[in-house]
Amino acid sequence: MSMNGGAEARRVFIGAGCNRVVNNVSWGACDLVAFGAQNAVAIFCPKNAQILTTLPGHRAAVNCTQWLPSNKFAFKAEQLERHYLLSGDADGAIILWELSLIDRKQWRHVLQIPQSHKKGVTCITGIMVSQNEAIFASTSSDGAVYVWELLFPSTPGGDCKLVCLESLFVGSKPMVALSLAELPGNTGHIVLAMGGLDNKIHLYCGERTGKFLRACELKGHTDWIRSLDFSLPICTNGDANSILLVSSSQDKGIRIWKLALQSSPCSIQGAYKKEEISLASYIEGPVLVAGSSSYQISLESLLIGHEDWVYSVEWQPPSSASVEGIDFYQPQSILSASMDKTMMIWQPEKTSGIWMNVVTVGELSHCALGFYGGHWSPNGNSILAHGYGGSFHLWKNVGVDLDNWQPQKVPSGHFAAVADIAWARSGEYILSVSHDQTTRIFASWQNEASLRDGDSWHEIARPQVHGHDMNCVTIIQGKGNHRFVSGADEKVARVFEAPLSFLKTLNYATSQNSSFPEDLQVDVQILGANMSALGLSQKPIYVQATHETPDRNGNDGLDTLETIPDAVPTVLTEPPIEDQLAWHTLWPESHKLYGHGNELFSLCCDHKGTLVASSCKAQSAAAAEIWLWQVGSWKAVGHLQSHSLTVTQMEFSHDDSMLLAVSRDRQFSVFTLKRTGIDEVSYQLLARQEAHKRIIWSCAWNPNGHEFATGSRDKTVKIWAVDQGSSVKQLITLPLFNTSVTALSWVGLGHQRNNGLLAVGMESGLIELWSLSVIRTDDCSFAAAGVAATVAVRFDPFTCHVSAVNRLAWKNPESEDSRNIQLASCGADHCVRVFEVKC
């Protein structure tokens, strides 16, 4: 982090879902997993289920990733200090990254491949041909396949040498699956298998110097080829003379092909005449000729078991062999992943050699729509799937003598733009809403046994799974149960209240056993919620099956739930996995707020927890009204008219005496509010001013005064002050930013009343912190004479978002003397992030 003014920031947490495309995930020999999250390449560690970083550089969604060396070459990579990663995007660009294991896992953008595809990259495959040399191939929907040789530097920070070996054009039916291998027999030849929309597997043969020639094609599949993977050479009778190719297709079938080196080309015919006619002789395919060597191709096996498209197949990574003269042992084991929601492991039966399905995992609840890909861990004891909902699913073989595959924790997050975030009243968790139609809760899981490296954040609940894109959320402040209001692409705002199962889970996660209010357990008689058939309203599941007065002495009623088979709300004692999150952690909806004529766009709650303000998308003054709602009765108690276009953000002042609103009409409004009765609020427009030349996206009050900031598409941030409660004057304009300002949040530094930090989020994804010092006319008055502003921190791009920052939110400092404050952010890159700022 670059710093000024003594502030420092570090990444605490990143939550993100996986782009929903095939070939998006790669598990490297370094035991890290890479995946695309919108335009970023995200890296996560399977051991602690935490996303370590996101790599900025792509200008379009990341479609595919490929480690060099991949998990297949882990047995060769134990001594490597630097690992490399290729990533391809929807615009056709491919970037090479370097990970230095010796230098605190530092990442470096090495180069962008010069000859880019004209359309999105759909697959990248690569092999290591020596410690410092790799060959990789890429394919795209533009019909081109490129083969490259890559020489890695022998010294840290050196240049990589890149040579294009071949450019192949396959015509109007593009290839979507590739695999490379060195042909057995020390011939120095490389084989490239490709498959795609013409249902055939095409084999090309070439040398390391280039020129790949079409060798033959393999027919058999009756639909698109989706995945191909070569094994490493198979040892039979001490000689490694054959390799296997596994292919999968949308025809639901998996085929294993054998490429066997022929001893002498001239005696082939004679040799076969002497042999008995076997089944293999009927399914022999073509002969692949590579230089002076030739390889007989035959269909080894046809695996039928999946009930839907098989999107990926992968050989189990080889292990180091103990036999002298042999570097590795290639296990006879294949992992397949399908849209039928299962992954299967296939192995030949010991006596007959017939390939059988030996392990099946998955069979998820009906909320998952299947798997886009499956991957082995480098040591072969874990398997990872990524699914339709942007989610990961990890199983580990924990059995000793017998296989016992058990689900494991994985990172999770949204799989579309995250529109809004809010901290819980006491800062125990973050609530986020997204265009993926979900509301999620992320929290630090304190009492985790593996908690050695600081905070371990996880998604602990998914309170709302909706049928419309979510746009805004606010958590209701004040005492009582946890409640929030959310708004989506619909005219209704919805109020949710925490069920008992969540309260107990949160208590377990934060280890604040003594502070769990027993009276809440009596008050909260709802254990969880069920999704309705249409997926819009969530119905409560009561602790007692009958609605009589509950027995207050104990939880006997927990066994007599209204049993709807889908939702089983439970108290979680460890971070939940996707299957639990998707269905069993819903909150019941308690109220609907009707009034707006268009889709909800912005929400905020006052600090006392008595009023909620809402706005909707608007093209007219009538639609741009701000509605005020009384918390509890949920009556509409005010319609604030000022703007002519959508109100983009609102915020109550620290003493709740004023409401600030900013709009697409380039104006801000300040309203004064006064409570005149239980369900009555008087309000008055104090000031309205055209503040910027373009849309105003964001606003923030000073938590210690009546100053506020506005941020706009015109790349400026302006600081204003309410002067003597009667008018608004401008104090300062911060220096011009590089891109539009899309998010602001202001926190007071408690130990110095007039000082604060303003977090500024930009359309580029970058975040800056500005130190603001308000100069007041005298200590007793709130009147501001000016503001001194300096840059405190410019966040490292490798910790920032890669697309627009949609919202920033400071956690309330734990004490006035607190020097460490947490900042949460969310963005269009599908990420929720938490930073710790040291003042």
Side-chain angles (χ1 to χ4, degrees), residues 610-613 626-631 633-640 652 673-683:
T610 58
L611 282 178
V612 167
I626 297 166
W627 285 53
L628 294 180
W629 308 87
Q630 174 71 37
V631 172
S633 69
W634 296 110
K635 289 180 181 173
V637 293
H639 304 112
L640 280 56
F652 287 91
L673 305 170
K674 191 178 274 185
R675 189 164 289 283
T676 54
I678 295 174
D679 277 350
E680 291 179 12
V681 176
S682 70
Y683 45 87

Side-chain angles (χ1 to χ4, degrees), residues 709-730:
T710 56
S712 164
R713 185 181 274 172
D714 66 10
K715 306 181 185 179
T716 63
V717 172
K718 296 181 180 180
I719 314 294
W720 311 79
V722 179
D723 198 17
Q724 304 298 328
S726 59
S727 63
V728 173
K729 66 175 182 180
Q730 184 179 337

Side-chain angles (χ1 to χ4, degrees), residues 762-785:
M762 288 167 266
E763 195 174 35
S764 60
L766 299 179
I767 299 171
E768 294 183 7
L769 300 186
W770 283 72
S771 180
L772 300 182
S773 184
V774 180
I775 302 151
R776 303 199 184 280
T777 50
D778 60 75
D779 286 342
C780 301
S781 105
F782 266 115

Side-chain angles (χ1 to χ4, degrees), residues 569-623:
T570 51
V571 180
L572 301 165
T573 55
E574 59 181 2
I577 58 171
E578 177 67 20
D579 205 15
Q580 294 165 309
L581 285 168
W583 217 240
H584 306 313
T585 60
L586 295 170
W587 289 20
E589 184 184 303
S590 60
H591 293 87
K592 292 183 180 71
L593 308 183
Y594 293 99
H596 286 290
N598 293 323
E599 298 93 334
L600 268 289
F601 195 82
S602 177
L603 285 162
C604 73
C605 180
D606 68 0
H607 298 83
K608 297 188 192 79
T610 58
L611 282 178
V612 167
S614 63
S615 73
C616 70
K617 295 178 182 177
Q619 298 276 335
S620 66

Side-chain angles (χ1 to χ4, degrees), residues 80 145 159 244-245 253 264 307 340 559 567 575 729 744 797 805 807:
L80 284 184
V145 177
D159 292 334
L244 298 173
L245 170 67
S264 56
E307 296 170 5
D340 67 6
D559 296 330
K729 66 175 182 180
L744 294 172
V805 181
R807 190 74 81 232

Side-chain angles (χ1 to χ4, degrees), residues 702 707 719 731-735 746 749 754-758 769-776 784-792:
N702 176 4
E707 297 78 37
I719 314 294
L731 297 179
I732 190 175
T733 301
L734 298 188
W746 196 332
L749 301 178
N754 293 331
N755 288 3
L757 280 175
L758 180 69
L769 300 186
W770 283 72
S771 180
L772 300 182
S773 184
V774 180
I775 302 151
R776 303 199 184 280
V787 174
T790 54
V791 179

